[in-house]
Amino acid sequence: MTASHVKRAFKYRFHPTDVQAAELSRTFGCVRKVYNLALAARTEAWALRQERVNYNATSAMLTQWKKTEELAYLCEVSSVPLQQTLRHLQGAFASFWARRAKYPTFKSRKKSRRSAEYTTSGFRYRDGRLTLAKMAEPLAIVWSRPLPEGASPSTVTVSHGSAGRWFVSMLCDDRPVMPAPANAAVGIDVGITALVTLSTGEKITNPKHERRDRERLAKAQRDLARKARGDGANRVKARLKAGRIHARIADRRRDFLHKLTTRLVHENQVVVIEDLTVRNMLKNRRLSRAIADASWTELRSMLEYKAGWYGREVITVDRWYPSSKLCSACGTLQTRMPLNVREWTCSCGTTHDRDVNAARNILAAGLAVTACGDGVRPQRNTPGGQSSMKQEVVPAPRTRGVSQPRG
């Protein structure tokens, strides 16, 4: 089964020379400086004159900044990533005015992501060799997988992670291919013990990647906290050590989620999931670490964009749908169901596994929504005194200020 043309990013690790690393570090610093200058100018214009400064105005400002003695060093790096950061700022303001995001914030030298984006005028790609502007030699890329046949990158993003690793991401046109699905549809119930429970009855155990390195990470963070603040060599080493452990955890989690979501999209034409508010659920101090490690938001994101690639469909069901308390055989709704009840018997005589029953109800609700032509089930306002937490992961009722959810 072949989907239409899509834009896909192919990410690779590379090992720069000392000269290339120095050039990229200068570029990262200039990108951050230009972003902050443009954000300050736009903020001042709005605060004093109620004036919205657009990309064209900030681009003209950049030209003037380069002519000053104080900012003359901006001319030493490629102008392409500087223009791109102004476009990114424009996009951030567009999201803010549309109320999709908060007001843009300034980039910190220590905490912000170190990256730079190049368009076609800022790099050369020939015969599998990528050379960036202001560089004489191509990057030493580790080609872990080939680019699509005949593809040429439209944009290239270079980044330097907290673990000291260098990555290059190439955006290319692709036409993904996926065989016909084996199943028409599947319902998914997410959790902590079982990361995913399918309506077919299959349960996929949560690997709990963070727990495997928890002691090692805690020791590395304690060592970092003991180092004197600043840019001392010992603090840099301690920061890199902690960063490498975080990166290893994230790599394992991302690899597992990629394999799982690819399999789900490969086997099913329609995938039905719950529309959970993970941001609110992370406010629970007792379970925030386990919820963050499960990474339900990333799981959903991967399912959605892979479904778009391969012509599949993802349906979301209202999080207030009582999937756990509803009998999937006769439709009887239980009045209450404590969290310690993992298996129960309905009045019709059917014995249910709590998670499997929830997955089957989620599937039925998603297919009903599709049959009605409503698309995504509309959200309801949270009832008075009701928590937006997923029932399967809410702690015991003794937790103050959190009442028992419906589903």
Side-chain angles (χ1 to χ4, degrees), residues 235-251:
R235 185 172 179 82
V236 171
K237 291 179 183 177
R239 188 188 301 120
L240 281 175
K241 184 176 181 180
R244 290 190 185 103
I245 298 174
H246 275 296
R248 182 164 58 247
I249 295 171
D251 287 347

Side-chain angles (χ1 to χ4, degrees), residues 317-332:
V317 175
D318 186 0
R319 62 182 177 275
W320 297 113
Y321 179 69
S323 57
S324 298
K325 297 188 291 185
L326 189 67
C327 176
S328 57
C330 68
T332 301

Side-chain angles (χ1 to χ4, degrees), residues 213-224 245 289:
D213 277 334
R214 183 174 297 176
E215 293 184 5
R216 186 180 302 176
L217 177 60
K219 183 179 184 303
Q221 290 175 330
R222 286 196 301 268
D223 292 341
L224 175 60
I245 298 174
R289 172 178 282 181

